[in-house]
Amino acid sequence: MATSAQPGLLGLEGSAGGEALATNGTASTAGPERPGPLQDETLGVASVPSQWRGVQGILGETKSCQTASIATAEASVQARKHVDAEVQTEVPEPVSLPSVPRYNGPRLAAFLRKVEAMVTRELNKNWQSHAFDGFEVNWAEQQQTVTCLHTLSYPPAQGQGLHVTGVSWNTTGSVVACAYGRLDDGDWSTLKSFVCTWNLDRRGLNPQQPSAVVEVPSAVMCLAFHPTQPSHMAGGLYSGEVLVWDTSRPEDPLLWCTGLTDDTHTDPVYQVVWLPEPRHSHRFQLLSVAADGKVLLWQGVGAGRLQLSAGFALAAQQLPRNTKLKKPSRGETEVGATAVAFSSFDPSLFVLGTEGGFPLKCSLAAAEAAVTRMPSSVPLRAPAQFTFAPHGGPVYSVSCSPFHRNLFLSAGTDGHVHLYSMLQAQPLTSLQLSHKYLFAVRWSPVRPLVFAAASGAGDVQLFDLQKSSQKPTVSVKQTEDESPVYCLEFNCQQTHLLAAGDAKGTVKVWQLSSEFTEQGARETERLDQLASEVAS
Amino acid sequence: MIGNDHAEVEETLKRIQSHKGVIGTMVVNAEGIPIRTTLDNSTTVQYAGLLHQLTMKAKSTVRDIDPQNDLTFLRIRSKKHEIMVAPDKEYLLIVIQNPCE
């Protein structure tokens, strides 16, 4: 029913309309003829005006407003006096020793005259004194034996039968990372592997649950933590790629990668090392060493790419001929590199271990171009300067002494550890540690005469050259069934810890006894003596 | 003469330095500032500051126990070497020796 609100309509028509509506369908007497019972009929519009609503008129009022006029006034100001002054910071004076005051001469001379006799007497007495022979002070509680502190593993990796191929401690010494892969696979494998880290300083450490796990598309062969960033680490893969991860970003840990270009290695990468950049010593670049004979230096450029900045290639014809080596077969043969160690005294000097069993002394500054057919965006150079006498099999690990500039160790598959001096080709001593392969050897960061070796018979051997030069001082069994121990690393911050990874997929953190962590008197001299005694 | 004194000072220090096993020699004044040394700058400054404080402490210890007594010589023996300090009102002579064992 439509109600049209018509203004001014009075109620008279309304009631009539209402009546008409009430008697709608039945009595339509108003029409001229009576329609049939089922015929359509149109009625007039019925409107029902409101009885309670009154007429609404429009009320209007006019109002206006106007802002008052703005008062303005003008005034001018002029500076009459001004003064110029300059301020300059002074270059800070470099702190230096104050210049020697010469006018103190007479009093200084008198003083020295007075004390010289006494001091000389004491110096001589000291030199001949045996008063302190064998006197040793123990400041810290002594630990008598080597014990296993933690046994860490990652069950999914163990389930796949993966081995621990590399361990690394981070720069703060509280996090240990391990890389999973396989060392006995001969073919191109595409199985997924892992890199796991455990934070040992955290309470509630669960040995089966790493603090961070990174999934990697290919087997990882080696691992190295960044020297100053506690969460960055680099790894070399079986496929020849080099990747850098940031474990502080759990959603996407991959920071840089080399990708698979012409520049990348074509063989497994056996070791990666972080090096300070030559001009900016707080920035670091990566060096990778692989079985294809290339030693490559990578730098991170934008968008997560590692770019080749310099490279070296080893070729059999370019090896220095100071040592007689087995004659290489015809044609250019690449010499596969399996291990690298940098000297702590000369940052451009490094030692490479090779598949042929002979360590090579190399330099980053070598300028001679390498004879190689491998394509590369950066010209490759031949780094080798000196060849050392070979082992009976490939060298798997080299380590330069942090206390002596010329000494380094190499361990190979013949079960021997050779102690070399950079100055001569023949090793100073050769120690047989095992009848099986030796996979890793490392100098201790605190004791000049101690080193540790990981053997294929499942034990970690600690050697103290001061006590015995023939057999290990301590030999700890890491695996029950004699499966090999593949890698080990000392912790430089917490010097009583040693981490070792084995073929069962576990990493054991050993706590060393005090004799391995405290430097005795005059060990550095003893090391010097050792270095020079055999040179004759 | 000033020239003579200067030469004498240098000669004395050279004699001390050339003794068997001596690693370094230095002369420090009453404020702990080194005035002669055979070692590098940073090591010298470290030794001078620390040993000056230790000598003052040792001197006051001796005087407190017996006011008629005074410190004549201070020796510190460590695992690696021996440090000898000859004190005086105005200067300290510090010698570091690596003793034979």
Side-chain angles (χ1 to χ4, degrees):
Chain A
M1 155 166 58
T3 46
S4 42
Q6 294 163 17
L9 194 64
L10 299 178
L12 288 175
E13 213 181 87
S15 42
E19 238 180 305
L21 238 132
T23 61
N24 186 352
T26 52
S28 43
T29 51
E33 57 178 48
R34 247 180 116 168
L38 289 177
Q39 284 193 339
D40 285 329
E41 207 176 279
T42 44
L43 298 175
V45 174
S47 68
V48 181
S50 168
Q51 286 180 331
W52 58 270
R53 199 188 291 165
V55 171
Q56 284 174 340
I58 299 174
L59 279 175
E61 259 180 51
T62 335
K63 286 241 189 237
S64 67
C65 63
Q66 166 76 43
T67 51
S69 59
I70 300 168
T72 56
E74 270 186 31
S76 59
V77 165
Q78 170 73 36
R80 266 196 245 145
K81 280 196 285 191
H82 65 266
V83 177
D84 275 324
E86 278 181 10
V87 168
Q88 169 76 36
T89 52
E90 280 179 10
V91 174
E93 275 179 32
V95 177
S96 60
L97 273 185
S99 57
V100 179
R102 299 265 179 234
Y103 57 83
N104 269 340
R107 298 213 299 274
L108 182 57
F111 160 69
L112 283 177
R113 234 175 284 141
K114 203 169 42 154
V115 296
E116 188 194 354
M118 174 168 53
V119 170
T120 312
R121 217 174 35 234
E122 296 297 333
L123 283 171
N124 286 332
K125 263 202 289 184
N126 228 3
W127 191 252
Q128 293 148 4
S129 152
H130 292 280
F132 288 97
D133 279 357
F135 177 65
E136 279 187 21
V137 177
N138 297 324
W139 281 100
E141 203 184 276
Q142 298 294 308
Q143 166 112 40
Q144 293 307 323
T145 52
V146 176
T147 51
C148 179
L149 267 188
H150 305 279
T151 304
L152 309 166
S153 59
Y154 186 51
Q158 283 180 312
Q160 281 181 6
L162 291 175
H163 307 159
V164 175
T165 52
V167 278
S168 180
W169 292 94
N170 80 340
T171 174
T172 60
S174 54
V175 175
V176 63
C178 78
Y180 281 100
R182 285 195 72 97
L183 277 180
D184 52 0
D185 240 6
D187 46 345
W188 197 269
S189 87
T190 51
L191 56 81
K192 263 191 177 331
S193 70
F194 308 93
V195 170
C196 305
T197 69
W198 283 267
N199 187 335
L200 298 179
D201 286 345
R202 234 180 245 175
R203 273 183 306 165
L205 168 73
N206 181 353
Q208 312 287 334
Q209 197 180 8
S211 343
V213 179
V214 177
E215 277 194 16
V216 185
S218 166
V220 185
M221 304 297 291
C222 56
L223 196 63
F225 258 109
H226 194 280
T228 53
Q229 297 269 16
S231 61
H232 291 193
M233 53 184 176
L237 302 190
Y238 193 87
S239 56
E241 285 180 70
V242 174
L243 308 180
V244 178
W245 299 282
D246 182 355
T247 51
S248 61
R249 304 192 315 192
E251 345 65 53
D252 180 23
L254 187 62
L255 201 57
W256 311 95
C257 74
T258 54
L260 285 167
T261 62
D262 272 343
D263 287 336
T264 34
H265 292 286
T266 49
D267 277 330
V269 176
Y270 278 117
Q271 200 160 348
V272 281
V273 177
W274 290 94
L275 289 180
E277 271 179 41
R279 270 174 289 276
H280 311 102
S281 57
H282 56 274
R283 289 215 297 252
F284 288 86
Q285 49 185 356
L286 261 185
L287 181 107
S288 63
V289 158
D292 58 5
K294 289 203 279 194
V295 175
L296 301 178
L297 271 170
W298 303 94
Q299 253 177 10
V301 296
R305 199 108 250 185
L306 277 176
Q307 202 182 54
L308 189 59
S309 66
F312 302 91
L314 293 174
Q317 317 92 295
Q318 284 182 308
L319 294 178
R321 298 232 176 277
N322 57 287
T323 310
K324 205 155 182 313
L325 296 172
K326 272 202 310 243
K327 218 171 153 54
S329 49
R330 272 189 184 279
E332 268 169 52
T333 39
E334 291 137 10
V335 178
T338 51
V340 66
F342 272 81
S343 163
S344 11
F345 291 86
D346 181 356
S348 68
L349 189 64
F350 62 99
V351 176
L352 277 180
T354 60
E355 280 172 350
F358 43 90
L360 289 172
K361 179 167 90 156
C362 307
S363 166
L364 287 177
E368 188 192 341
V371 174
T372 170
R373 272 197 223 107
M374 290 180 277
S376 167
S377 59
V378 166
L380 297 174
R381 296 174 274 162
Q385 293 179 334
F386 193 76
T387 313
F388 295 95
H391 277 254
V395 170
Y396 274 152
S397 180
V398 283
S399 177
C400 284
S401 170
F403 291 95
H404 194 286
R405 66 180 319 125
N406 285 339
L407 293 179
F408 69 92
L409 287 169
S410 69
T413 57
D414 55 353
H416 282 78
V417 162
H418 287 191
L419 175 66
Y420 286 97
S421 162
M422 299 267 193
L423 306 170
Q424 67 174 45
Q426 291 297 324
L428 295 179
T429 50
S430 166
L431 302 156
Q432 173 155 31
L433 295 190
S434 167
H435 292 289
K436 298 212 181 157
Y437 297 0
L438 285 179
F439 288 99
V441 70
R442 290 279 180 267
W443 285 102
S444 161
V446 283
R447 287 207 49 202
L449 293 166
V450 168
F451 64 89
S455 82
D459 40 347
V460 172
Q461 302 191 349
L462 285 157
F463 238 86
D464 185 347
L465 292 169
Q466 198 174 43
K467 293 237 175 90
S468 151
S469 52
Q470 293 310 318
K471 57 181 191 64
T473 316
V474 176
S475 174
V476 276
K477 227 169 171 24
Q478 169 136 344
T479 53
E480 275 80 53
D481 58 354
E482 300 208 346
S483 43
V485 178
Y486 284 131
C487 48
L488 55 77
E489 283 291 342
F490 281 95
N491 186 339
C492 294
Q493 303 297 331
Q494 302 189 39
T495 52
H496 55 274
L497 296 180
L498 170 67
D502 58 32
K504 312 283 291 172
T506 52
V507 173
K508 289 205 177 173
V509 177
W510 298 95
Q511 182 172 23
L512 301 174
S513 49
S514 319
E515 54 177 352
F516 289 109
T517 53
E518 287 169 4
Q519 213 178 65
R522 300 171 56 245
E523 278 196 36
T524 329
E525 285 85 17
R526 178 80 185 86
L527 190 68
D528 285 334
Q529 232 177 353
L530 187 66
S532 46
E533 78 189 8
V534 200
S536 46
Chain B
M1 292 290 286
I2 294 198
N4 269 349
D5 285 330
H6 176 54
E8 190 186 337
V9 163
E10 297 301 328
E11 237 177 277
T12 312
L13 287 176
K14 220 191 296 202
R15 260 201 305 271
I16 297 180
Q17 176 71 22
S18 59
H19 258 87
K20 281 191 279 230
V22 172
I23 302 174
T25 313
M26 63 187 87
V27 181
V28 175
N29 75 356
E31 278 105 41
I33 300 172
I35 50 181
R36 288 281 202 289
T37 178
T38 60
L39 297 172
D40 61 281
N41 219 353
S42 53
T43 318
T44 304
V45 167
Q46 206 177 18
Y47 268 104
L50 294 168
L51 286 170
H52 180 255
Q53 289 178 29
L54 187 63
T55 312
M56 292 302 119
K57 186 74 181 172
K59 183 186 163 86
S60 68
T61 305
V62 170
R63 295 290 292 260
D64 283 350
I65 293 174
D66 181 358
Q68 305 298 322
N69 206 352
D70 207 347
L71 179 70
T72 51
F73 204 74
L74 180 63
R75 287 164 76 154
I76 304 167
R77 194 173 183 99
S78 70
K79 266 202 293 204
K80 296 189 187 172
H81 33 245
E82 175 146 345
I83 305 171
M84 279 169 268
V85 181
D88 183 69
K89 190 172 69 152
E90 290 166 0
Y91 301 101
L92 282 180
L93 173 67
I94 302 170
V95 181
I96 305 152
Q97 186 190 30
N98 201 351
C100 169
E101 274 199 272

